[in-house]
Amino acid sequence: NYRLFGDFSEDLHMFGKEGYIFPADDGYVQNYQRTNISEPLMENLVTYAARTNAYAKERDCLFILMICPNKSSVYGDYMPESIYVDETKESTLDLAKRRLTEEGVTCVIPHEKFRSQKEEEQIYNVKYDCAHWNDLGALCGLTMLDQVIAENYGDIPVMQRSDFALTW
């Protein structure tokens, strides 16, 4: 809407630095600020994942939980300067990764890989989708998931970038 019609809903979106657009809803901003992390909700997620993992193991199956990072978790340096982040608190993704790992749940949370990958290529759109990874981000994240699967099932090959015809 913004590109085609110049319509920018400030209720739903906000401009960050260098033209980046992010969601503007309270929950999204509070998650970025690390002010809305619910320990009980996280423990419910971890308990659910641990029980699912145990159920899968009883049936000789692999359970992998993938949590996809939002745009501000990767491109937080482009969020508006006016938004304060409480660096004394763990991010939701770091807390999830720590707790799931403690419970022995195999998880793929590609936020750290994405942060390094963004130095090489744009893995979230600057403007056209304010919250979701683009095709390169999906390729990077799903390759990480494939690597975990391949480690457990040697006969399944890991998806490679060369398997795709990337065009711009």
Side-chain angles (χ1 to χ4, degrees):
N1 281 345
Y2 177 68
R3 180 153 168 86
L4 293 175
F5 307 110
D7 180 26
F8 185 76
S9 171
E10 293 184 12
D11 295 357
L12 302 174
H13 307 94
M14 65 181 157
F15 278 111
K17 299 174 197 165
E18 298 183 28
Y20 274 73
I21 295 177
F22 295 92
D25 64 272
D26 289 342
Y28 187 89
V29 173
Q30 291 168 355
N31 183 65
Y32 172 71
Q33 293 177 306
R34 304 177 183 176
T35 60
N36 72 340
I37 297 172
S38 169
E39 298 274 342
L41 183 62
M42 182 62 69
E43 288 309 309
N44 286 341
L45 168 70
V46 170
T47 298
Y48 178 79
R51 288 178 180 167
T52 303
N53 188 49
Y55 178 86
K57 280 187 177 181
E58 288 171 4
R59 285 150 184 80
D60 199 30
C61 295
L62 176 63
F63 172 73
I64 305 169
L65 178 63
M66 183 171 192
I67 301 176
C68 304
N70 62 34
K71 188 175 180 178
S72 66
S73 297
V74 178
Y75 287 94
D77 44 334
Y78 293 96
M79 287 286 282
E81 285 185 25
S82 60
I83 299 177
Y84 171 78
V85 176
D86 187 349
E87 297 289 344
T88 65
K89 294 182 180 176
E90 216 171 2
S91 73
T92 303
L93 294 175
D94 289 334
L95 175 59
K97 185 173 185 174
R98 180 175 58 77
R99 288 293 297 121
L100 290 163
T101 301
E102 288 171 358
E103 292 298 321
V105 175
T106 302
C107 59
V108 174
I109 307 175
H111 62 301
E112 294 168 1
K113 170 73 172 165
F114 278 20
R115 288 180 190 142
S116 64
Q117 192 71 25
K118 77 175 186 176
E119 303 302 323
E120 299 173 29
E121 58 195 357
Q122 192 70 38
I123 56 176
Y124 286 74
N125 294 316
V126 175
K127 295 181 181 180
Y128 308 113
D129 185 334
C130 68
H132 302 99
W133 57 20
N134 61 25
D135 292 343
L136 292 173
L139 181 61
C140 180
L142 294 175
T143 298
M144 290 179 67
L145 180 62
D146 267 4
Q147 289 168 345
V148 174
I149 294 170
E151 288 170 8
N152 290 274
Y153 300 99
D155 58 333
I156 298 176
V158 176
M159 177 173 48
Q160 301 294 321
R161 185 174 282 236
S162 59
D163 296 335
F164 300 91
L166 302 178
T167 60
W168 315 118

